[in-house]
Amino acid sequence: LFIPPPTCEMPPATTSSSSASNPSAVANSSASTKNATSPSSGSSSSTTTTTDQSNPIWIHAWDDALANTCAPRQCIAFCDINGSSDYKLCMAQSLTYPVMRFASAASSSSSAPHSNGAHDQHKLRIFRGTGLLHEIPLLEEPVALKSYYMDYKAPRVPLLAIASGSNVFLLKNLQPFYQFRLPEMEINAQEMEIWNDLRENKLDVLKAVNELKELKDKDLMLTKRSLEFLSLDNGTGSLEQREDLQQFVDERRNFPLKQTSVITCMEVLKKDKDEDDSVGCLVLGTEDNQVLVLDQSASRVLKTFRVPATPVSMSMSGKLDVDYRIIVSCRNGNVYTIKNDQISGIVIELESQPTDLVTIDKTILIGTMSNTIHCYHARSGKKQYSIYLPCAIKARSGKKTILNLFTFAIKDMEVLDMRGSRNAKCLIVALENNELRVYTGKQLTNLIKTPDRVAGMRFGTYGSETNTLALTFANGALSFKFVARTAKLEGKSQTGPPEEQNTPLNLPKRTKLYIEQTKREKEYAVEMHRIFQRDLCKLRLTTAKAYVKILTDGQGPLSYSSGSTLRLNAQVQGLGPLYKIRLAIQNSGQRAMHGIPILMQYNQGLYTIERPLMTLPALVPNIPYKFTVDVKHNNPEEGLSEPINIFVCSPGSSIPIITAVVEMPLAGEI
């Protein structure tokens, strides 16, 4: 699995003092002198300047400008390799890492006597104190490096897991322990049938190309062999092309069609306890959109989840046997949550691609390529706040402006989990402009300048110091910083409105006019309310007087005189020119009424009513009486209509008891 490590320890890196083998001693001496000194010959205290002197957090312990090491955060881990409580820094390094600027110098060292040629491009480097302890060549480019415990047996020696390609290599005591390989992917049945026919010469190569293209157009995932086979097709169908395709088939005729995915990211999920030395399980993200949860021995797959896109980074919280949550950021720019064997329906959609992902307690912090850090609640997925960072740095060459390989500002993110006499959790952010920032919530707690662009960093225990930050830079330098015991990580509490509220905004004219009117209404609110109430009372009084006048004059559509106990309901039936007006009269009083006349007032030139005057019989209380009045329209072809007034009169008064206005419809021709 690996090239065995050397039998003897390698000499430490170039330093001016070999007595600083324990980083804790360096930290104590640095804290006592209040000045950061470095035992390395290629470093000095002036390389790291603190811009926030009011709240110093970091104690510069040691750095090595000639370490020739560079790795991302996923390939850096602190590990107690021998179980002696002396934690080492493990780093899986690859010369193909794009931010490395010393790759040519490092590759030239492969001509040394102990060099292994191509294996020197990928190395596992172990640092202890201020020197290099071991250097183990790797066979493939590393993707991630993690340290975890597989059981509770004494002595407690952790495993070192290195994800590379389709394999996870496990080391114990820096010796090969086990190798896990991803299970083979399921191949489409139609693709398998095509290759079986090609193997038995039952199918022409050009016809096979067309059939594979049809499968590809259907968005089916083809194997690597099929994609290489399609790349040989130039669309001409010439004899030379046919020979190349046939040669490709002949070379692979005796090999079965297989396809294995590739690991893209790896994390460790605690199994039953939330402690540093508790048993963990590896969680792998693969290129075929799968998230695999392995058992503690990494020998078999416990759970398999499929997400909509390829995972690029993950973060764990909780315990596998109790309650766990896996946060996965994918290449489609979305962040998904796997909770208790199910993919949650809460999806976080980002405006740009995520660069890194960390979790602090119940919050998810996501750095994006738009130079912004978004904070979301882990359970609900609601956005809490955003931190906007400076833009990326551009490199100038003459009169032209050349963008760097990574044009986004956020280079790496890590959680500062301070332990010891007091506990605190903060966010560490490394930027393109060589800034190292510490955020408590959304408040900037500390900012320092680094000598070069940070390539990767890891916070944890190094040696016997529990609060250590290891930094690797693009120029190959390595640096260690400790958190000061007196560091203030709680952040400053803000009271009152934010400072941005005092900054005037450039508003349009219509908005300014609206704001001015709003201010005027606030200033004269009492006077405006009094005037409004006065006018409203006047309007109500005028309306009430007019309504009373209409009722008393009998000009309303249905008017009653005061003290009236009769109720009248009039309805028109018919389409014309013949109508019927149905009258329903009821006495709601206590005594019967006699000799009540009903009079019809209408346009005699337009309508004809046989009985325009009727005298009602005795009206017994609470009994409805119904009458019918026949109406004829004299000139229906003219299309005219007028209302008919119905008056229920009183024998002893000139004011009608009830007045009703019946709106007649237009007459239809027969």
Side-chain angles (χ1 to χ4, degrees):
L1 305 181
F2 299 92
I3 297 177
T7 56
C8 59
E9 294 188 0
M10 297 185 64
T14 305
T15 57
S16 60
S17 175
S18 60
S19 60
S21 59
N22 190 354
S24 301
V26 179
N28 295 333
S29 61
S30 302
S32 61
T33 58
K34 302 294 183 181
N35 188 11
T37 59
S38 172
S40 175
S41 59
S43 61
S44 62
S45 60
S46 62
T47 57
T48 304
T49 59
T50 304
T51 59
D52 188 3
Q53 298 291 345
S54 60
N55 185 20
I57 290 180
W58 304 109
I59 298 176
H60 181 68
W62 170 74
D63 61 3
D64 185 4
L66 304 177
N68 287 343
T69 183
C70 182
R73 181 175 66 93
Q74 294 79 8
C75 295
I76 305 174
F78 292 106
C79 180
D80 184 13
I81 297 177
N82 302 322
S84 58
S85 299
D86 184 14
Y87 286 80
K88 283 85 173 175
L89 175 64
C90 304
M91 192 178 304
Q93 172 184 325
S94 176
L95 295 184
T96 58
Y97 188 41
V99 292
M100 294 176 61
R101 294 201 298 265
F102 68 97
S104 58
S107 60
S108 62
S109 64
S110 60
S111 59
H114 62 275
S115 173
N116 291 303
H119 298 303
D120 284 349
Q121 291 188 356
H122 316 301
K123 301 177 181 179
L124 174 63
R125 311 189 76 184
I126 312 297
F127 290 88
R128 176 187 177 186
T130 58
L132 181 64
L133 181 64
H134 285 293
E135 187 175 274
I136 305 174
L138 304 177
L139 300 181
E140 294 182 88
E141 181 178 356
V143 176
L145 173 67
K146 297 297 174 183
S147 172
Y148 77 101
Y149 292 87
M150 63 176 294
D151 52 33
Y152 291 103
K153 296 180 180 179
R156 302 297 306 282
V157 178
L159 293 179
L160 201 60
I162 304 173
S164 180
S166 302
N167 304 308
V168 178
F169 301 103
L170 301 177
L171 281 74
K172 194 170 186 179
N173 288 321
L174 295 183
Q175 298 296 329
F177 180 75
Y178 186 75
Q179 176 185 358
F180 172 80
R181 184 172 180 84
L182 292 179
E184 295 182 0
M185 298 173 54
E186 184 178 355
I187 301 175
N188 185 268
Q190 299 179 6
E191 182 183 3
M192 181 68 73
E193 183 179 357
I194 292 173
W195 282 103
N196 291 335
D197 294 342
L198 287 174
R199 186 182 299 109
E200 299 174 1
N201 295 326
K202 295 181 180 180
L203 185 64
D204 184 65
V205 289
L206 295 180
K207 188 176 180 180
V209 169
N210 296 331
E211 293 182 0
L212 289 175
K213 286 183 178 179
E214 293 178 358
L215 296 179
K216 186 178 180 181
D217 294 338
K218 295 179 182 179
D219 294 335
L220 295 178
M221 185 176 295
L222 301 180
T223 60
K224 183 179 179 181
R225 181 187 296 185
S226 298
L227 296 177
E228 292 180 359
F229 185 67
L230 292 177
S231 65
L232 299 176
D233 177 41
N234 52 17
T236 59
S238 60
L239 180 61
E240 183 179 358
Q241 178 188 353
R242 182 185 293 271
E243 292 177 355
D244 293 341
L245 294 174
Q246 189 62 44
Q247 182 181 358
F248 182 87
V249 174
D250 295 339
E251 291 176 353
R252 294 159 179 80
R253 187 182 302 274
N254 298 326
F255 296 96
L257 184 62
K258 296 181 180 181
Q259 178 74 3
T260 306
S261 185
V262 179
I263 300 174
T264 58
C265 53
M266 180 176 66
E267 289 292 337
V268 176
L269 176 62
K270 299 297 183 182
K271 188 176 185 303
D272 51 3
K273 296 180 181 179
D274 194 8
E275 299 177 359
D276 293 339
D277 58 347
S278 60
V279 174
C281 298
L282 293 178
V283 181
L284 308 178
T286 63
E287 190 70 32
D288 59 335
N289 306 347
Q290 285 188 348
V291 177
L292 307 178
V293 181
L294 309 183
D295 62 349
Q296 59 266 30
S297 61
S299 59
R300 61 187 181 92
V301 179
L302 293 179
K303 305 176 187 296
T304 303
F305 307 98
R306 181 171 291 275
V307 291
T310 302
V312 294
S313 61
M314 298 184 297
S315 183
M316 309 291 148
S317 63
K319 297 172 282 295
L320 181 62
D321 295 344
V322 183
D323 185 13
Y324 69 93
R325 196 185 303 267
I326 303 176
I327 313 297
V328 186
S329 65
C330 300
R331 287 181 186 165
N332 60 354
N334 296 339
V335 179
Y336 303 91
T337 302
I338 302 175
K339 180 183 178 183
N340 298 336
D341 301 343
Q342 292 183 352
I343 299 180
S344 175
I346 300 175
V347 179
I348 300 176
E349 298 181 357
L350 304 173
E351 76 281 0
S352 60
Q353 290 293 330
T355 60
D356 212 337
L357 169 71
V358 296
T359 56
I360 298 179
D361 295 333
K362 296 181 180 180
T363 58
I364 306 172
L365 296 165
I366 307 171
T368 63
M369 296 184 68
S370 59
N371 309 329
T372 309
I373 299 176
H374 300 293
C375 179
Y376 296 87
H377 195 273
R379 293 184 178 179
S380 61
K382 293 183 179 180
K383 185 177 179 181
Q384 296 184 345
Y385 59 85
S386 296
I387 302 174
Y388 298 93
L389 302 171
C391 296
I393 302 297
K394 296 181 180 179
R396 294 188 175 271
S397 175
K399 297 182 179 180
K400 298 181 180 180
T401 301
I402 305 174
L403 287 175
N404 288 338
L405 181 62
F406 299 111
T407 57
F408 49 89
I410 302 174
K411 287 304 166 189
D412 204 355
M413 293 170 54
E414 176 65 333
V415 178
L416 190 157
D417 189 2
M418 184 176 180
R419 302 180 182 181
S421 58
R422 56 195 182 96
N423 298 330
K425 288 187 178 181
C426 304
L427 176 66
I428 311 174
V429 184
L431 302 183
E432 174 77 18
N433 56 355
N434 301 349
E435 288 183 359
L436 189 66
R437 298 185 170 206
V438 179
Y439 286 93
T440 302
K442 59 181 178 180
Q443 300 180 13
L444 180 61
T445 305
N446 182 264
L447 186 150
I448 62 174
K449 282 286 187 178
T450 56
D452 195 20
R453 189 176 63 194
V454 175
M457 59 183 174
R458 178 66 70 179
F459 187 87
T461 303
Y462 185 57
S464 58
E465 178 61 38
T466 56
N467 302 313
T468 305
L469 179 65
L471 300 167
T472 62
F473 300 96
N475 59 2
L478 178 63
S479 177
F480 290 93
K481 299 182 184 299
F482 299 154
V483 178
R485 302 293 188 269
T486 59
K488 298 179 181 179
L489 300 176
E490 291 76 15
K492 301 177 181 178
S493 60
Q494 289 185 346
T495 58
E499 298 179 357
E500 292 81 1
Q501 184 173 335
N502 299 326
T503 304
L505 301 176
N506 188 12
L507 301 177
K509 294 182 179 180
R510 184 175 299 180
T511 306
K512 290 181 179 178
L513 180 61
Y514 173 76
I515 294 176
E516 291 176 358
Q517 292 178 351
T518 305
K519 291 182 178 179
R520 184 177 62 86
E521 292 179 0
K522 289 181 179 180
E523 293 176 357
Y524 301 98
V526 178
E527 291 80 358
M528 294 176 66
H529 180 70
R530 289 176 179 174
I531 295 173
F532 173 76
Q533 291 294 333
R534 184 193 64 187
D535 295 343
L536 181 60
C537 291
K538 288 183 178 180
L539 178 61
R540 289 175 177 174
L541 179 60
T542 304
T543 305
K545 288 181 179 180
Y547 181 68
V548 170
K549 187 176 183 301
I550 290 175
L551 294 179
T552 55
D553 295 344
Q555 299 177 359
L558 188 61
S559 304
Y560 298 91
S561 63
S562 59
S564 174
T565 59
L566 292 180
R567 295 294 179 263
L568 174 64
N569 184 16
Q571 294 181 352
V572 181
Q573 294 181 349
L575 299 176
L578 300 178
Y579 303 97
K580 284 188 178 182
I581 300 178
R582 295 187 179 276
L583 303 177
I585 301 177
Q586 182 178 357
N587 182 9
S588 60
Q590 301 294 331
R591 294 182 299 175
M593 302 179 68
H594 305 274
I596 302 297
I598 296 180
L599 177 64
M600 307 289 178
Q601 182 185 9
Y602 60 96
N603 186 355
Q604 296 182 2
L606 191 61
Y607 297 104
T608 300
I609 300 177
E610 296 180 358
R611 298 173 58 190
L613 177 62
M614 296 185 301
T615 302
L616 301 180
L619 299 178
V620 180
N622 300 325
I623 296 178
Y625 294 86
K626 296 182 180 180
F627 304 94
T628 302
V629 179
D630 295 330
V631 181
K632 181 180 179 181
H633 199 292
N634 298 329
N635 300 314
E637 64 277 359
E638 295 181 1
L640 301 176
S641 66
E642 290 186 5
I644 296 177
N645 298 326
I646 302 175
F647 300 100
V648 179
C649 302
S650 174
S653 175
S654 60
I655 299 176
I657 301 175
I658 301 175
T659 302
V661 180
V662 179
E663 296 290 341
M664 301 300 293
L666 295 175
E669 297 182 0
I670 299 178

